[in-house]
């Protein structure tokens, strides 16, 4: 049998002294990979200095290659996706052990992301809806995927799914966070260059601006000094003015509770912010940060009136914690490690 | 069983999967399994969300084809609120959709599937990738591919706010129109996309069709399955991406079904196996007969070659010529060679680019009537598109406030779950003989799934996690001898 643990590979290994970089994905969608590909030509000069030693979406290196790395041989691992299975935990622990730096890449690794909304439900509900209650599933015996199955004498295993979704720093030590769903290529490029140049910020830094989205928003001039919301409106049945502050017009926009640096891409698409960059500096929880500003911005004079205005907001949990439920004060129905398994 | 081979992770695809190969005492393949190890639970955690947010949430099922989920979702929202988008909105959606289809198909050819042919199926693994492709075709050509992709993606970002996870479609229309300056710029980009699509077909001819070894692989029985096929067709029966009716043909090409997407529950069902998180859809009228091909099996295939097989032809002129060339070379229609999905993908990229040009040539596209506001009470809605990887159905039920009470998603790669499992097993049986296993041979096994351009993030939208490919070798008593990860 041929040797398979050939580590760095043949195409790039002839040039010495390149910085080794790894990309890996956990529970994610592949959008973070696309964002890296969207660096387009900007990646080419970087490739003179960098050797990519793991990137399953594009390169054929396997687990065995990673196991063969020397500790510290790989300078940085960019890990996207949240963590929900035994297999994902094995991978991120291995990458932590082998790599000098670990960057939580994108909203899922940073905060849990949209799949983190699953923490508001249970694993059993998810399994039952998928395999037993779906209108298209024909499963009279109620079969569910099993950890161990024997088929024609072959023993097959599946990784276990835990009860809740965790962002990366609830599983391993994380050095930096690259926010966004997906992170904008410009931020990725800047982070890569800073790491290559050894210009490292303080550990734990979120690699974007410290301003809130409202501060950099192109619609900021139309945001009144004091916001007065009579009732919350929905995109479903009303059309937002393409130039106005969304909140001024009653459309929920997470700008006040979200870190900036995204290029205000949703706003420029005439849609309000949903908070994928996470809370701004000083705030640990996006929902409470938003609600704190909500108290000041509803038109209600009394607590009851304010509550009546707040009640017009559809789905506060799924809106205010769209990307951050597992990293929020609410976190999950259950978060104790033993219950994950 | 004497040995077991596991490939971990499977690579150059979107998402995770696991291949387990079991050898008998002679070292031949007895069984091979393609497992999908994750689930994220979108159908469940979306309950209670405002339905209009689905157009922003469901793209996170897949960041490679977010536009497909976005459009299927938005069409389900139109249906849910019973509102027909004005013609300008429909044109803008179609334009964005075709631009996406074109760039996504080309991405697969150059970054994911193409390296197996351009660099070679048994080339060293450090070279079987986009960097190897650049090394082979030269930086000038590669630079053109990269630049055109960047410009098409830039166009999508201008139109849809974001390219990875668009914010564009809303019930009854789109959030934003197009200026004439943008249109003029987009016309240039569409021209480049068309040029690159033509060029890519020529690359395929040069690299695959004119290379005896590569062509031999495409035509090899190791990569052939005679199945049913499914895809959308337009009113003229031509290949359609944004809208149409679902057509199914049998392995001889005879049409056995044509239905509106909202009737999918009558025709498609999903089988569950305990050894994978993915479900296995099949045709209800045939029933689940196990992992087998042929006219009596309910197994069907979707995605590029399936779409070409079901349709009467392509919707555009140049793509039709490319379509004719494909079927003439492969021995008629339908074609069953799995590796020909790569070729069909490029024929479709050409149709998408031609369609971009047609839409941008229409002066109406810069119109300002981009939305009709919904008035009706929402209840239930179905939306369908052809995603790059196959037929994609979103089905929502809500309360009168438009908050979701039930969600069903039948996702592109999901349809191909059984065929992918079958293709991997068949390729393994042909490639691995007498216990001879190498990185190159295992890559040829991986090529069997890569042709489908599978997206396991899509297929496992039901919960988080991903699984790579791994090969474990066991002896006759099931004892683990070695684990192979290429």
């Amino acid at each position: 049998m041929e040797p398979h643990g050939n580590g760095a590979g043949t195409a790039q290994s002839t040039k010495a002294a390149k910085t080794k970089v790894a990309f890996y994905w956990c529970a994610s969608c592949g959008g973070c990979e696309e964002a890296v590909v969207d660096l387009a030509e900007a990646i080419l000069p970087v490739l003179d200095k960098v050797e990519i030693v793991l990137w399953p979406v594009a390169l054929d290196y396997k687990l065995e290659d990673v196991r063969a790395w020397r500790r510290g041989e790989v300078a940085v691992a960019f890990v996207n996706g949240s963590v929900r299975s035994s297999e994902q935990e094995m991978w991120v622990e291995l990458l932590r052990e082998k790599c000098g730096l670990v960057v939580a890449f994108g909203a899922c690794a940073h905060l849990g992301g949209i799949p983190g909304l699953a923490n508001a439900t249970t694993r059993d509900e998810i399994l039952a809806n998928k395999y037993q209650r779906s209108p298209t599933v024909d499963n009279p015996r109620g079969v569910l995927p099993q950890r161990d199955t024997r088929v024609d004498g072959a023993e097959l295993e599946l990784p276990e799914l835990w009860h809740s979704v965790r962002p990366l720093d609830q599983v391993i030590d994380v050095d930096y966070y690259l926010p966004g769903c997906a992170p904008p290529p410009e931020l990725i490029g800047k982070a890569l260059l800073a790491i290559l140049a050894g210009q490292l910020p303080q550990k734990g830094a979120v690699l974007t601006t410290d301003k809130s989205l409202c501060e950099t928003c192109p619609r900021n001039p139309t945001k009144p000094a004091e916001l007065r919301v009579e009732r919350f409106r929905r995109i479903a049945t009303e059309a937002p003015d393409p130039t106005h502050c969304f909140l001024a017009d009653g459309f929920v926009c997470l700008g006040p509770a979200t870190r900036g640096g995204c290029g205000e891409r949703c706003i420029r698409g005439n849609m309000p912010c949903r908070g994928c960059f996470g809370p701004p500096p000083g705030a640990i929880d996006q929902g409470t940060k938003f609600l704190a500003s909500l108290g000041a911005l509803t038109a209600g004079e009394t607590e009851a009136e304010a509550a009546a205005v707040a009640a017009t907001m559809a789905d506060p949990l799924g809106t205010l914690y769209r990307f951050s439920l597992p990293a929020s004060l609410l976190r999950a129905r259950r978060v104790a490690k033993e219950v994950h398994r | 069983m004497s040995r077991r081979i596991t490939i971990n992770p499977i690579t150059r695809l979107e998402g995770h999967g696991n291949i387990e190969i079991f050898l008998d005492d002679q070292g031949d393949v007895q069984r091979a399994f393609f497992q999908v190890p994750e689930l994220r639970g979108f159908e469940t955690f979306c309950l209670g969300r405002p339905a209009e947010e689905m157009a922003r949430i469901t793209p996170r099922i897949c960041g490679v084809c977010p536009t497909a989920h976005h459009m299927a979702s938005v069409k389900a929202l139109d249906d849910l609120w019973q509102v027909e988008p004005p013609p300008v909105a429909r044109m803008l959606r179609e334009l964005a959709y075709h631009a996406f289809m074109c760039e996504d198909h080309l991405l697969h050819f150059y970054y994911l599937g193409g390296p197996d042919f351009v660099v070679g199926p048994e080339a060293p693994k450090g070279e079987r990738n986009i960097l190897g492709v650049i090394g082979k075709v030269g930086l000038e050509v590669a630079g053109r591919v990269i630049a055109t992709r960047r410009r098409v993606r830039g166009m999508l970002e201008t139109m849809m706010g974001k390219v990875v996870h668009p914010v564009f479609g809303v019930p009854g229309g789109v959030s934003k129109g197009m200026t004439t300056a943008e249109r003029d710029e987009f016309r240039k980009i569409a021209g480049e996309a068309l040029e690159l699509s033509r060029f890519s077909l020529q690359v395929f001819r040069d690299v695959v069709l004119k290379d005896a070894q590569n062509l031999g692989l495409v035509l090899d029985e190791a990569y052939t399955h005679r199945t049913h096929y499914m895809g959308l067709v337009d009113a003229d029966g031509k290949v359609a991406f944004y809208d149409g009716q679902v057509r199914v043909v049998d392995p001889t090409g005879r049409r056995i079904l044509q239905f509106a997407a909202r009737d999918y529950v009558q025709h498609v069902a999903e089988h569950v196996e305990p050894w994978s998180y993915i479900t296995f859809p099949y045709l209800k009228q045939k029933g689940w007969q196990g992992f087998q091909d042929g006219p009596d099996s309910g197994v069907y295939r979707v995605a590029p070659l399936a779409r070409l097989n079901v349709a009467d032809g392509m919707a555009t002129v140049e793509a039709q010529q490319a379509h004719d060339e494909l079927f003439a070379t492969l021995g008629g229609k339908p074609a069953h060679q799995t590796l020909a999905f790569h070729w069909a993908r490029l024929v479709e990229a050409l149709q998408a680019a031609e369609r971009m040009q047609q839409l941008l040539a229409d002066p109406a596209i810069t119109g300002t009537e981009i939305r009709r506001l919904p008035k009706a009470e929402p209840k239930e809605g179905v939306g369908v598109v052809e995603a790059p990887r196959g037929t994609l159905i979103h089905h929502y039920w809500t309360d009168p406030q438009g908050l979701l009470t039930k969600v069903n998603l039948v996702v592109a790669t999901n349809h191909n779950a059984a065929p992918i499992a079958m293709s991997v097993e068949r390729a393994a049986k042909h490639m691995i003989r007498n216990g001879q296993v190498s990185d190159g041979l295992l890559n040829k096994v991986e090529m069997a799934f890569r042709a489908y351009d599978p997206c396991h993030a899509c297929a496992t939208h039901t919960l988080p996690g991903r699984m790579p490919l791994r090969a474990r070798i066991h002896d006759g008593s099931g004892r683990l001898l070695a684990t192979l990860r290429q």
Side-chain angles (χ1 to χ4, degrees):
Chain A
M1 197 179 305
E2 292 176 13
H4 294 286
N6 197 14
T10 54
Q12 307 167 18
S13 59
T14 47
K15 292 176 195 163
K18 285 187 173 185
T19 303
K20 292 185 178 177
V21 170
F23 292 93
Y24 194 70
W25 48 13
C26 292
S28 63
C29 70
C32 287
E33 275 72 23
E34 285 272 355
V36 175
V37 175
D38 283 341
L39 283 167
E41 298 93 330
I43 194 80
L44 294 176
V46 177
L47 288 176
D48 289 338
K49 300 176 191 142
V50 158
E51 179 181 338
I52 303 173
V53 292
L54 176 71
W55 195 18
V57 77
L59 307 179
D60 284 349
Y61 301 118
K62 309 293 181 184
L63 178 58
E64 186 172 87
D65 298 309
V66 178
R67 290 212 162 112
W69 296 347
R70 293 186 314 277
R71 191 182 279 242
E73 175 182 343
V74 175
V76 53
F78 294 94
V79 178
N80 70 67
S82 48
V83 180
R84 180 155 206 165
S85 74
S86 49
E87 158 122 321
Q88 290 157 0
E89 180 163 307
M90 179 277 291
W91 268 96
V92 300
E93 285 176 346
L94 181 63
L95 290 168
R96 177 70 274 183
E97 177 194 325
K98 299 281 188 178
C99 301
L101 296 173
V102 172
V103 177
F105 188 106
C108 295
H110 177 202
L111 305 163
I114 280 185
L117 288 172
N119 284 3
T121 177
T122 65
R123 179 177 69 176
D124 292 345
E125 272 294 294
I126 285 169
L127 292 171
N129 277 336
K130 175 67 184 172
Y131 300 108
Q132 291 165 343
R133 299 181 196 138
S134 155
T136 32
V137 163
D138 183 21
N139 186 10
R141 290 182 294 123
V143 172
L144 291 176
Q146 301 295 315
R147 193 182 67 180
D148 302 299
T149 311
R150 200 171 174 86
V151 186
D152 298 343
E155 285 178 13
L156 297 166
E157 302 109 49
L158 285 173
E160 285 200 85
L161 297 171
W162 294 334
H163 282 285
S164 65
V165 174
R166 290 183 290 170
L168 195 58
D169 64 6
Q170 288 177 17
V171 184
I172 58 168
D173 188 44
V174 168
D175 295 289
Y176 301 109
Y177 302 86
L178 200 52
C181 184
E186 309 77 58
L187 281 189
I188 300 169
K190 271 171 79 174
L192 259 176
L193 292 174
I195 288 168
L196 286 177
Q199 294 162 352
L200 300 171
Q202 193 182 357
K203 181 170 170 168
V206 180
L207 304 176
T208 180
T209 175
D210 281 345
K211 292 179 175 169
S212 79
L213 182 66
C214 278
E215 292 176 72
T216 57
C217 179
R219 300 189 185 193
N220 186 280
T222 63
K223 183 182 175 187
E226 192 180 347
L227 287 159
R228 308 278 295 174
V229 176
E230 303 284 336
R231 69 177 171 90
F232 285 101
R233 302 162 71 194
R234 281 168 62 181
I235 297 287
T237 47
E238 301 189 65
D241 183 296
T243 59
H244 276 201
C245 169
F246 287 103
L247 274 171
D249 289 349
F251 294 98
V252 174
C253 177
L254 258 61
T258 300
R259 198 183 276 265
C262 58
E264 304 86 33
R265 295 171 296 173
C266 297
I267 310 281
R268 291 175 204 280
N270 194 26
M271 294 290 269
C273 173
R274 287 290 175 262
C276 73
F277 267 50
I284 52 169
D285 184 285
Q286 244 174 329
T288 49
K289 172 74 178 164
F290 183 84
L291 291 172
S293 56
L294 185 71
L297 62 80
T298 56
E301 298 294 335
T302 67
E303 199 174 317
E305 285 169 6
V309 174
T312 64
M313 188 196 299
D315 185 29
L317 179 91
T319 306
L320 305 182
Y321 294 97
R322 176 67 54 82
F323 291 90
S324 66
L325 188 58
S328 73
L329 295 172
L330 305 172
R331 291 181 77 162
R333 288 190 162 189
R334 286 169 286 189
V335 292
K337 182 159 181 173
E338 55 273 23
V339 190
H340 279 297
R341 295 179 186 274
Chain B
M1 258 172 275
S2 69
R3 292 169 68 192
R4 165 171 173 159
I5 304 168
T6 306
I7 309 176
N8 176 22
I10 52 170
T11 45
R12 283 184 283 130
L13 81 162
E14 209 300 283
H16 302 213
N18 200 34
I19 295 178
E20 298 279 355
I21 303 168
F22 294 86
L23 307 186
D24 61 19
D25 292 335
Q26 282 70 52
D28 294 336
V29 173
Q30 187 166 341
R31 289 299 313 268
F33 296 88
F34 187 90
Q35 293 177 276
V36 178
E38 73 163 346
L39 186 68
R40 280 174 300 170
F42 276 79
E43 284 101 335
T44 302
F45 71 65
C46 288
L47 300 182
R49 310 280 92 84
E52 69 273 20
E53 295 291 321
M54 291 299 267
R56 299 186 70 171
I57 291 173
T58 59
R60 271 73 180 192
I61 291 171
C62 176
V64 178
C65 54
T67 308
H69 285 285
H70 183 71
M71 289 297 177
S73 180
V74 159
K75 290 180 68 182
L77 297 178
D78 294 341
D79 193 38
L80 178 72
W81 267 286
Q82 300 144 60
V83 57
E84 182 76 20
V88 178
R90 158 122 189 183
M91 290 173 73
L92 290 169
R93 286 186 191 176
E94 273 203 60
L95 175 62
Y97 201 65
H98 284 82
F100 153 71
M101 196 67 143
C102 184
E103 64 89 4
D104 188 86
H105 273 359
L106 294 177
L107 172 84
H108 185 265
F109 183 63
Y110 289 101
Y111 286 75
L112 305 180
D116 290 322
F117 299 104
V118 177
V119 188
E122 298 192 58
K125 68 173 162 186
E127 296 172 15
R128 280 190 320 248
N129 54 50
I130 177 65
L131 302 173
V133 170
I134 293 173
K136 200 92 175 179
V137 302
L139 200 53
E140 193 184 332
V141 170
R144 188 169 144 201
V145 172
I146 292 168
T148 301
R149 176 185 153 82
R150 171 174 51 74
R151 281 168 57 73
V152 174
R153 303 268 294 176
M155 166 179 162
L156 287 171
E157 183 157 304
T158 303
M159 290 186 71
M160 304 197 296
K162 288 169 69 197
V163 59
V164 179
H165 306 320
V167 292
F168 181 52
V170 285
V174 294
S175 62
K176 186 170 170 253
M178 184 188 293
T179 66
T180 54
E182 286 168 348
R183 180 202 59 195
D184 294 347
E185 180 61 18
F186 296 165
R187 283 178 175 169
K188 289 183 209 152
I189 294 171
E192 289 172 37
L194 183 58
E195 278 302 313
L196 183 61
S197 300
R198 289 174 179 145
F199 172 80
S200 302
L201 270 166
Q202 192 54 47
V203 171
F204 190 86
R205 288 185 195 102
D206 293 343
V207 167
V208 181
L209 304 181
K210 291 181 187 165
D211 180 288
Q213 195 196 352
N214 277 338
L215 183 60
L217 272 184
V218 172
L219 300 176
D220 198 318
E221 276 293 313
Y223 296 107
T224 300
H225 273 294
R226 288 160 188 83
T227 63
H228 294 83
Y229 296 95
M230 175 187 286
L232 288 182
V233 293
D234 66 17
D236 297 325
K238 303 297 175 62
V239 168
F241 303 137
Y242 177 80
D243 198 26
Q245 287 206 316
V246 181
R247 182 185 284 181
V248 179
V249 301
D250 71 11
T252 68
R254 189 174 59 90
R255 186 190 313 180
I256 61 166
L257 279 174
Q258 187 160 329
F259 56 90
R262 62 168 56 252
D263 298 329
Y264 76 99
V265 179
Q266 296 169 33
H267 303 292
V268 174
E270 299 170 69
H271 169 76
V272 180
E273 286 283 344
W275 47 268
S276 185
Y277 284 108
I278 203 168
T279 57
F280 300 93
Y282 59 93
L283 298 169
K284 269 188 167 174
Q285 67 164 249
K286 302 286 179 182
W288 175 254
Q289 314 291 344
F291 293 87
Q292 51 185 285
D293 59 8
D296 300 325
S297 168
V299 169
Y300 61 94
R301 294 197 275 184
V302 298
L305 186 64
R307 287 188 285 255
L308 268 59
N309 277 338
V310 303
D312 300 334
M314 306 305 290
T316 55
V317 174
E318 280 189 52
Q320 178 66 38
Q321 292 164 359
H323 160 282
D324 296 347
E325 180 190 353
L326 178 149
F327 285 110
T329 307
L330 296 177
K333 193 169 181 172
H336 301 292
Q337 297 91 343
T338 303
L339 296 183
F341 274 79
H342 293 291
W343 192 355
R345 195 167 286 121
L346 296 175
V347 175
E348 289 194 332
L350 186 60
Q351 172 167 318
E354 288 181 273
R355 187 80 186 114
M356 283 168 73
Q357 281 207 320
Q358 289 173 356
L359 287 158
L360 282 160
D362 189 333
I365 200 162
T366 52
T368 53
E369 198 199 343
I370 58 170
R371 188 164 183 207
R372 281 195 193 111
L373 287 175
K375 304 279 183 233
E377 184 175 286
K379 190 175 174 200
E380 181 180 351
V382 177
V384 66
V385 294
E386 279 294 330
R389 294 153 191 84
T391 313
L392 170 61
I393 299 164
H394 281 212
H395 191 175
Y396 310 148
W397 294 258
T398 69
D399 68 13
Q401 280 70 49
L403 302 183
L404 289 155
T405 55
K406 189 171 171 183
V407 173
N408 197 41
L409 308 168
V410 184
V411 172
T413 293
N414 210 158
H415 296 284
N416 276 336
I420 288 172
M422 290 155 51
S423 294
V424 165
E425 179 158 37
R426 190 178 179 92
K429 285 181 172 175
H430 278 76
M431 297 302 160
I432 300 172
R433 296 268 169 87
N434 302 316
Q436 296 298 308
V437 184
S438 67
D439 169 64
L441 288 174
L442 288 179
N443 186 54
K444 285 184 169 175
V445 176
E446 289 199 64
M447 284 171 68
F449 73 74
R450 226 170 258 140
Y452 294 93
D453 186 10
C455 177
H456 288 143
C458 278
T460 60
H461 50 279
T462 338
L463 231 130
R466 280 161 185 273
M467 179 116 146
L469 252 159
R470 175 170 56 204
R472 285 194 206 128
I473 303 177
H474 288 240
D475 66 14
S477 63
R479 195 161 56 88
L480 182 69
L481 293 179
T483 301
L484 192 59
R485 291 165 178 111
Q486 291 199 6

